Amino acid sequence: WCSPHQDTLIRQMGLDHPSYVAAVQWSATTASEEQTGLQLLAWLRYHWLSGGRLAEGRMRIESMLAAVPEASPARADCLWVVTWIVLLQGDQDRAQRWLDEFDVVAEQLNDGMLDAHVHHWRALLAMFAGDSAAAVNGFRLAVEGHDARRDHEMELTARYMLAYALTLDGRAEEALAEARETAALCETYGERSARGYAEWAAAVAHWTLGHLDEAERSARQALTIRRTLTDGIAVGLTTELLAWIANDRKQFARAQQEIRIAGPP
């Protein structure tokens, strides 16, 4: 995933969707293949997250988790993936329950790679719950943990989330620095999805500081990066931000148009 070919991967995953469904269903009903099914569901995280299939991804993961209750690395991966999904859906109560189990499974497995994920998804829950200080601290620990294990994909994800959390915590200048560093790392790895989110986070920070021109430039750069990536969440967030910018400029008709494009939350 952490490559310049994300648009191709998303399109191919969309074409392969029926095969994924068949494979997951076969794993769920075939003895000794259940763990393979769990791992497949976790590996397909961007199919659910970026491919516009949040509800289906949640349904399939939660169904398999209920059917295969024993602790395992595959279950741990599914737990943090489904936590990510349900938080994007706004279901903080369910996220809390999945995270509580994830903590237990991570401790049982004694896998150091899971420690960074514990910090990461606790931080995202804190951010959605309005505790920006806890979110900043958690994302910093997650960045350090992912970086130590050379998990560039998750490090970049934690970094753009950290940039946004810093803005929420009233530290927009720090957020801009973090967003710039994240964008530079994305260029190094050829990563585009996280780069788009980093530009969006920078745009929010600029808007918070009253830098409307810079905010619009970053937001439009984020949309340009998204042109071939079918991530409706990112497009909706960025288009809504453009509406805020237009509103601050007293361009009310344009703000209304951007809100219509962004659609409901």
Side-chain angles (χ1 to χ4, degrees):
W1 176 253
C2 193
S3 76
H5 310 297
Q6 290 165 335
D7 52 347
T8 302
L9 290 170
I10 287 291
R11 286 196 299 272
Q12 188 60 53
M13 284 191 287
L15 294 173
D16 290 340
H17 181 71
S19 296
Y20 299 148
V21 172
V24 169
Q25 291 176 338
W26 181 82
S27 296
T29 57
T30 303
S32 77
E33 292 297 328
E34 297 90 350
Q35 293 297 327
T36 302
L38 278 173
Q39 192 63 72
L40 176 59
L41 287 166
W43 282 337
L44 289 171
R45 55 187 169 271
Y46 292 107
H47 184 50
W48 318 125
L49 290 159
S50 300
R53 291 181 167 87
L54 287 179
E56 180 179 353
R58 175 178 177 173
M59 178 272 292
R60 295 195 182 282
I61 294 173
E62 289 187 335
S63 177
M64 188 71 88
L65 287 171
V68 190
E70 61 267 22
S72 68
R75 184 176 184 84
D77 285 344
C78 273
L79 285 169
W80 65 257
V81 171
V82 78
T83 296
W84 193 355
I85 290 173
V86 299
L87 281 172
L88 291 177
Q89 291 182 316
D91 192 346
Q92 294 180 30
D93 290 340
R94 173 62 73 176
Q96 182 70 67
R97 290 195 289 272
W98 285 131
L99 274 173
D100 288 343
E101 182 183 347
F102 181 55
D103 288 349
V104 173
V105 172
E107 185 174 354
Q108 289 174 337
L109 296 176
N110 194 26
D111 182 348
M113 290 193 69
L114 296 178
D115 294 342
H117 281 288
V118 170
H119 293 303
H120 193 153
W121 308 111
R122 285 285 176 196
L124 189 61
L125 176 58
M127 187 172 76
F128 274 83
D131 190 347
S132 57
V136 167
N137 291 335
F139 285 134
R140 288 199 189 282
L141 290 170
V143 168
E144 293 172 4
H146 294 315
D147 178 48
R149 290 161 181 80
R150 302 188 64 77
D151 187 344
H152 302 311
E153 170 199 333
M154 297 315 304
E155 177 194 351
L156 294 174
T157 302
R159 280 183 177 277
Y160 73 68
M161 292 179 179
L162 170 61
Y164 183 58
L166 282 165
T167 296
L168 294 180
D169 201 42
R171 299 152 68 179
E173 293 287 358
E174 291 180 59
L176 285 174
E178 183 63 45
R180 291 190 196 102
E181 185 175 353
T182 303
L185 285 171
C186 288
E187 286 295 307
T188 299
Y189 301 129
E191 217 281 354
R192 299 178 60 216
S193 179
R195 171 69 188 277
Y197 278 109
E199 292 290 350
W200 167 76
V204 175
H206 278 304
W207 174 75
T208 301
L209 292 166
H211 305 161
L212 299 186
D213 291 344
E214 294 87 343
E216 182 170 357
R217 278 197 293 271
S218 291
R220 295 202 178 280
Q221 177 65 17
L223 287 178
T224 299
I225 293 168
R226 292 281 167 200
R227 188 168 292 162
T228 57
L229 290 171
T230 55
D231 189 334
I233 295 172
V235 171
L237 287 170
T238 308
T239 307
E240 183 179 18
L241 176 57
L242 286 170
W244 302 347
I245 296 167
N247 183 75
D248 283 358
R249 287 173 168 159
K250 312 301 182 184
Q251 299 170 342
F252 302 121
R254 180 178 169 188
Q256 289 175 348
Q257 182 182 19
E258 299 285 9
I259 286 294
R260 290 191 191 101
I261 294 170

